[in-house]
Amino acid sequence: MNDFLQRLAVYNKEQKSKPALIVDDIVYTYGDLWQAIQVKSQDDVPPHLVIQTSQIWQQLTQWLQGVLQGTKPVLCHPDLEGPRVVLLKKTYVAGQIIPRGADFGVLSSGTTGLPKVLWRSLRSWTEFFPAQNQIFKVTGNTILFWQGSLSFTGNLNSLISVLYEGGTAVTSQHMSPRTWLRLSEQWQVTHWYLLPTKLRLLVGLLKEPLPELQLIFTGSQTLDHKLLNQLRTKQPHTEFILYYGASELNYITYCTDEEWLAEPNTVGYPFPGVTVSLDDTGLIYVTTPYGIEGISCPYTVGDEGAWSETGRLLFKGRRSAMINRGGYKVSIPYLESTILSIEGVADGAVIGVPDALRGEQPIAFLVSNGERPIPDIVADIAMRFTSKDRPKSVIWLEHLPLTACSKVDSKRLRGIYETSGSKHDNNI
């Protein structure tokens, strides 16, 4: 913690007027940041350990105040409903023993049930930044664009990694890809940290290459070949780093776009200091000094994998991401990756819904790119899958709903299915 605070103190003296954070058209300098996180009395400490605000500047400054004052803050998802926030506060304040080494809590990103609080030390990030920032090529000259709440661990980690180096971070409060592109052009952004769900929203808007965009780093688990090839075509000079990670474990493995395309489903080699192993059933176990507090390594989050011939880790998906269709297990990642590869599909997601006969059925929610007739796309889907794997029906949307954590909101998809008459009209 002291190392990070000392760096911010130095930046306040040496580059006080340099932009630290840009939110839409508001510029916050390193001087603004240093002043905002100073606590003159206990009355200035955030009143709640659980912080819930949709404003990025408030998320950052209240969180930093809490970390620096030792109140062990937790950034709450802005889209978490009121009753669940109350329950989270009760559980957090009264029901948990906070590990001694913890500086803050991060939340799991699930959209059902109460999010879990995972306790982490700031050192588990800052001591990893030298390796992480070297791989992602983050320096004091970096201008990073990301979008979404800092309650998503990846967003918070990326922002802090840039501030650690004295760089600049840019974001938007608006779910507007055109705004994201404008900001990237206006501020000559050098790095994008965006999950594939948001890269899909941007790729169709890219008419000319962004000359300053040096590197895109993103999670590879929901990436597809079509999206990556589109990005490579439109940004031919831009490098890509695709990573595999988990909130509990930090970054685990990474690969380049060339490696990912050469070996489908690869997530690459481990980050420095991280060891990966597989048990007899294919569960991925990770040993890392950069994980959350209170876990024993090797540790698994329930993901399955295999080793490739080149020694890279191949990602097969979360063991629980399965639909039990009358005793036959259907892999959601397999369905989604196959559907996303079909011409005419701009975006898509699959969920399991209750079925009186088979227990559960897969339903696909798709977004068309408008360049191909819907019946042709549906016919392709029917041909790509066997009757056991094929989604029961398709519901077409203008865009997929996303959570504050930039992930597809499966809870809202379930609500759309339950209220949609079209669910009976799209049998494949």
Side-chain angles (χ1 to χ4, degrees):
M1 188 190 314
N2 288 337
D3 178 40
F4 184 63
L5 181 61
Q6 289 169 2
R7 283 172 175 263
L8 292 183
V10 170
Y11 299 147
N12 176 58
K13 291 181 179 180
E14 296 182 352
Q15 51 185 42
K16 190 170 187 175
S17 61
K18 179 177 179 178
L21 176 64
I22 300 164
V23 184
D24 292 306
D25 295 316
I26 303 176
V27 178
Y28 301 97
T29 66
Y30 274 93
D32 295 329
L33 179 60
W34 183 254
Q35 183 176 8
I37 65 176
Q38 300 307 299
V39 177
K40 300 179 179 63
S41 70
Q42 284 303 111
D43 293 337
D44 294 329
V45 176
H48 301 295
L49 299 180
V50 176
I51 302 168
Q52 187 180 40
T53 172
S54 61
Q55 300 302 310
I56 297 296
W57 176 247
Q58 293 177 8
Q59 288 179 359
L60 173 62
T61 54
Q62 289 184 19
W63 180 83
L64 278 173
Q65 276 190 352
V67 169
L68 297 176
Q69 290 301 308
T71 59
K72 299 177 173 53
V74 177
L75 275 170
C76 191
H77 305 323
D79 52 2
L80 199 63
E81 298 92 338
R84 292 168 70 197
V85 175
V86 172
L87 182 58
L88 177 66
K89 290 180 179 180
K90 288 182 179 179
T91 303
Y92 166 62
V93 173
Q96 290 208 18
I97 298 175
I98 302 175
R100 180 177 298 179
D103 294 315
F104 60 97
V106 297
L107 297 183
S108 60
S109 56
T111 57
T112 59
L114 189 68
K116 294 184 298 183
V117 179
L118 310 173
W119 297 105
R120 180 175 283 282
S121 69
L122 188 58
R123 289 177 56 192
S124 69
W125 280 358
T126 59
E127 291 183 359
F128 188 55
F129 283 160
Q132 172 184 325
N133 287 349
Q134 182 177 13
I135 289 168
F136 293 149
K137 300 186 178 181
V138 172
T139 69
N141 296 320
T142 293
I143 306 173
L144 169 76
F145 181 84
W146 96 94
Q147 203 280 329
S149 170
L150 295 180
S151 64
F152 174 45
T153 310
N155 285 344
L156 181 60
N157 174 280
S158 297
L159 171 58
I160 298 302
S161 75
V162 171
L163 297 179
Y164 181 85
E165 300 291 350
T168 299
V170 183
T171 190
S172 173
Q173 295 277 170
H174 307 296
M175 191 62 184
S176 170
R178 294 187 185 279
T179 300
W180 309 345
L181 190 57
R182 175 183 65 81
L183 289 169
S184 296
E185 294 172 336
Q186 177 181 346
W187 292 101
Q188 298 183 324
V189 163
T190 62
H191 288 59
W192 276 355
Y193 171 64
L194 294 166
L195 294 186
T197 51
K198 291 186 175 176
L199 289 173
R200 289 190 188 95
L201 299 176
L202 274 170
V203 70
L205 299 176
L206 278 169
K207 303 304 180 185
E208 299 291 335
L210 298 175
E212 305 298 331
L213 186 60
Q214 301 168 13
L215 187 140
I216 298 172
F217 61 104
T218 183
S220 63
Q221 297 174 40
T222 56
L223 193 66
D224 62 275
H225 284 72
K226 183 170 63 178
L227 173 61
L228 183 53
N229 282 321
Q230 287 174 330
L231 287 167
R232 281 159 51 98
T233 298
K234 295 195 173 186
Q235 287 293 134
H237 66 281
T238 301
E239 296 182 60
F240 296 83
I241 297 292
L242 315 172
Y243 70 82
Y244 163 53
S247 295
E248 297 90 337
L249 298 166
N250 209 350
Y251 292 106
I252 301 170
T253 63
Y254 70 100
C255 63
T256 66
D257 54 326
E258 295 287 353
E259 291 170 330
W260 192 87
L261 290 170
E263 286 190 314
N265 298 320
T266 187
V267 287
Y269 299 110
F271 276 80
V274 178
T275 302
V276 178
S277 60
L278 303 176
D279 71 5
D280 293 339
T281 67
L283 270 182
I284 300 171
Y285 282 84
V286 178
T287 299
T288 176
Y290 310 113
I292 60 173
E293 298 294 307
I295 62 172
S296 298
C297 291
Y299 184 85
T300 181
V301 295
D303 291 336
E304 293 185 338
W307 296 115
S308 73
E309 293 182 358
T310 61
R312 300 188 186 103
L313 181 65
L314 302 177
F315 181 78
K316 292 187 174 182
R318 186 65 52 92
R319 181 165 286 183
S320 60
M322 294 283 181
I323 295 171
N324 191 338
R325 194 178 202 175
Y328 179 79
K329 300 295 180 66
V330 182
S331 166
I332 291 178
Y334 165 69
L335 293 180
E336 290 179 339
S337 63
T338 304
I339 290 173
L340 287 170
S341 70
I342 293 174
E343 182 184 352
V345 177
D347 206 354
V350 175
I351 65 170
V353 300
D355 181 82
L357 180 62
R358 297 192 177 185
E360 202 173 14
Q361 292 277 17
I363 304 297
F365 297 81
L366 303 184
V367 178
S368 168
N369 64 10
E371 299 175 359
R372 193 178 182 208
I374 296 297
D376 291 355
I377 299 175
V378 174
D380 258 8
I381 294 173
M383 291 180 62
R384 293 287 184 99
F385 298 102
T386 67
S387 59
K388 290 183 177 181
D389 292 312
R390 189 178 303 138
K392 179 185 178 183
S393 61
V394 172
I395 294 177
W396 294 93
L397 303 174
E398 291 187 5
H399 58 82
L400 294 181
L402 301 180
T403 68
C405 297
S406 304
K407 298 184 179 181
V408 175
D409 193 332
S410 58
K411 184 177 180 181
R412 288 176 62 188
L413 290 182
R414 199 169 302 280
I416 292 171
Y417 171 78
E418 291 172 352
T419 59
S420 174
S422 64
K423 64 188 177 186
H424 302 294
D425 303 326
N426 287 280
N427 289 339
I428 299 176

